[in-house]
Amino acid sequence: MKKLTAVLMITAMLSSALAGCAGAGRQTEVTVAAAKEGKDLSAMVWQGTVEALSSVDIIPSASGKVTQILAKEGDHVEAGAALFQIDNQDASLQLEQAKAGYQAAQANFDSAQKANQLNTVVKPAEISFTTASDNFNRIKVLYAGGDVSQTDYENAKAQMDVAQVQLQAAQNSQRTNCDVTRAQLDSAKAALDIAQKKYNDCMVVSPIKGLVTKISVEAGQTVSPQVKAASVIDDSSKKVEIKVADMDIDQIKAGMEADVNLQTLGETIKGSITGISSVSDSSTGMFDVTVSLGEACTNSAIGLMADIRLADNKGENSVYIPAKSVQTDDSGSYVYKVSDSSGVKTPVTLGKKKNAYIEVTKGLAAGDQVVLQSSKPLTDGEKISILTVKQQ
């Protein structure tokens, strides 16, 4: 029995030792990602088309026959400059009629106002009421002393009451007359404004200062509010719209200078970032960025392809890793780099952040693998087992 017990104890000790050895040799399981090389923005070229700052398609508000063309394609016009005239004979007659109606309403209103100021309607009623009131008060005293009959007293009171009602009616009439003539004047003014607009709409004008690029109508042609008749562009400045990937958008800021190469003209001009969309296009994932061009850009550049390079970024390529692979301690930022099946603690110097990635300016080279996730916290030089290499 003692021998059996001793054998069991030795077996247990050996099993425990073997298990400990096996545990000591077990490697930490990790997921890794490779550092990738990405071009800095200044080494990248975007392409776009030179456009005017804005473009307006002009659709007439009036219908009718065009009687005169007053501008031609290629003209520089001011805001409000006439482009073409639509027959305005009917509109002119309606305008004159509306003017006459407004003048009549104004005269009636002025008359009512003057009557109100002079009190011409109410004043006679006020005199009548005052006379009747004074007479009643006199009769009332005499009646109290028994010098007049009750009939005289009641007649005097009735006369006063009637005069008071007439006074109230005169006051209401005068006030109503002012209100009615005011409403009539307002209605006439609205009718005049409508008629004036219809007349003005017969002269089609440019809403902006710029270059007339298209006149789509001819004299004698009938136009309507459903048809585009002309186009004017604001050529005081030019722009280029480019599409920027989400990985690069964080580096682009409003005000950044850009070199804009117009290959067709053989010239490069300066530009700057003036607009960055806040959200990406749902179908492409790209962000819209507006580059405004300098004054050196001529009108002949509109419609040409342009190569855009940002001017204030360094020109060398950069190395990027997933931002969540970076750790920090008192010594600074570091990663665990894969070396000979081990995780080696490697200090890194960080640069610009690009969404989920961050630039490493020192400490890694393109292709180096870094630990992204591990089954337990790592120590420097610890043996690791790579489960997955994350593709970027």
Side-chain angles (χ1 to χ4, degrees):
M1 185 66 180
K2 289 182 179 181
K3 288 182 179 181
L4 179 59
T5 301
V7 170
L8 291 174
M9 290 178 64
I10 291 171
T11 302
M13 291 173 65
L14 288 173
S15 298
S16 177
L18 289 173
C21 291
R26 187 175 182 181
Q27 296 176 332
T28 302
E29 297 173 335
V30 299
T31 297
V32 302
K36 65 177 181 178
E37 187 176 56
K39 290 183 178 179
D40 195 85
L41 292 186
S42 62
M44 298 178 68
V45 179
W46 292 273
Q47 286 192 326
T49 303
V50 179
E51 305 173 18
L53 190 62
S54 63
S55 178
V56 178
D57 290 333
I58 298 169
I59 300 175
S61 299
S63 298
K65 183 180 293 185
V66 176
T67 59
Q68 190 177 8
I69 302 296
L70 301 169
K72 63 181 182 297
E73 295 174 6
D75 285 352
H76 274 91
V77 296
E78 298 292 327
L83 301 179
F84 60 90
Q85 174 74 57
I86 299 173
D87 183 10
N88 63 3
Q89 184 175 358
D90 289 345
S92 178
L93 293 174
Q94 292 171 1
L95 178 60
E96 292 303 317
Q97 185 178 32
K99 286 180 178 178
Y102 177 74
Q103 290 171 355
Q106 183 70 64
N108 289 336
F109 176 72
D110 292 343
S111 177
Q113 286 290 92
K114 185 176 181 180
N116 186 49
Q117 293 170 359
L118 296 176
N119 215 18
T120 54
V121 177
V122 176
K123 192 171 184 179
E126 286 180 339
I127 293 173
S128 297
F129 174 71
T130 301
T131 301
S133 180
D134 291 344
N135 183 59
F136 172 71
N137 290 332
R138 183 178 61 79
I139 296 296
K140 184 178 180 181
V141 173
L142 294 175
Y143 177 71
D147 294 327
V148 297
S149 65
Q150 183 175 352
T151 300
D152 292 337
Y153 171 82
E154 291 175 351
N155 287 338
K157 186 176 185 307
Q159 290 174 356
M160 182 186 68
D161 291 342
V162 169
Q164 185 176 22
V165 170
Q166 291 174 340
L167 174 60
Q168 185 65 51
Q171 291 172 336
N172 291 340
S173 175
Q174 183 168 279
R175 186 164 47 248
T176 300
N177 190 42
C178 287
D179 292 342
V180 168
T181 55
R182 164 60 75 180
Q184 290 172 342
L185 180 62
D186 291 343
S187 177
K189 181 62 168 63
L192 176 59
D193 290 342
I194 292 172
Q196 185 69 61
K197 183 179 184 305
K198 287 183 178 179
Y199 178 81
N200 293 344
D201 286 344
C202 291
M203 179 65 76
V204 180
V205 302
S206 173
I208 63 171
K209 178 181 179 180
L211 177 71
V212 179
T213 58
K214 188 69 175 177
I215 297 290
S216 305
V217 296
E218 298 177 354
Q221 180 180 346
T222 299
V223 296
S224 69
Q226 288 75 40
V227 180
K228 181 176 73 172
S231 297
V232 179
I233 62 172
D234 179 356
D235 60 344
S236 61
S237 183
K238 286 78 178 177
K239 65 180 181 179
V240 178
E241 300 281 352
I242 59 175
K243 304 286 186 180
V244 178
D246 59 349
M247 181 177 175
D248 300 317
I249 197 66
D250 284 349
Q251 293 191 71
I252 294 181
K253 307 296 180 185
M256 276 186 173
E257 290 188 354
D259 291 324
V260 182
N261 179 246
L262 305 173
Q263 294 184 3
T264 304
L265 298 181
E267 61 183 55
T268 297
I269 60 177
K270 291 295 183 181
S272 62
I273 303 295
T274 56
I276 304 172
S277 62
S278 57
V279 296
S280 62
D281 186 296
S282 59
S283 60
T284 64
M286 308 287 276
F287 288 80
D288 292 327
V289 175
T290 301
V291 181
S292 293
L293 310 188
E295 295 181 357
C297 187
T298 62
N299 288 331
S300 59
I302 294 176
L304 298 182
M305 291 297 296
D307 294 333
I308 308 294
R309 290 179 174 84
L310 293 184
D312 57 352
N313 282 274
K314 60 186 180 180
E316 69 273 11
N317 291 349
S318 302
V319 173
Y320 294 91
I321 59 174
K324 68 178 183 178
S325 66
V326 179
Q327 302 182 48
T328 58
D329 59 15
D330 293 339
S331 63
S333 299
Y334 66 91
V335 296
Y336 280 102
K337 183 172 75 172
V338 178
S339 178
D340 296 330
S341 299
S342 299
V344 178
K345 183 178 180 180
T346 305
V348 291
T349 302
L350 304 178
K352 301 171 184 176
K353 191 174 186 301
K354 289 186 176 182
N355 298 317
Y357 297 89
I358 193 164
E359 180 186 19
V360 177
T361 59
K362 186 177 180 181
L364 293 176
D368 286 344
Q369 291 184 333
V370 295
V371 174
L372 194 59
Q373 293 177 308
S374 61
S375 58
K376 68 179 184 64
L378 293 175
T379 57
D380 188 19
E382 182 175 340
K383 291 294 183 181
I384 57 176
S385 173
I386 298 175
L387 295 179
T388 306
V389 177
K390 179 176 170 38
Q391 300 297 319
Q392 301 184 62

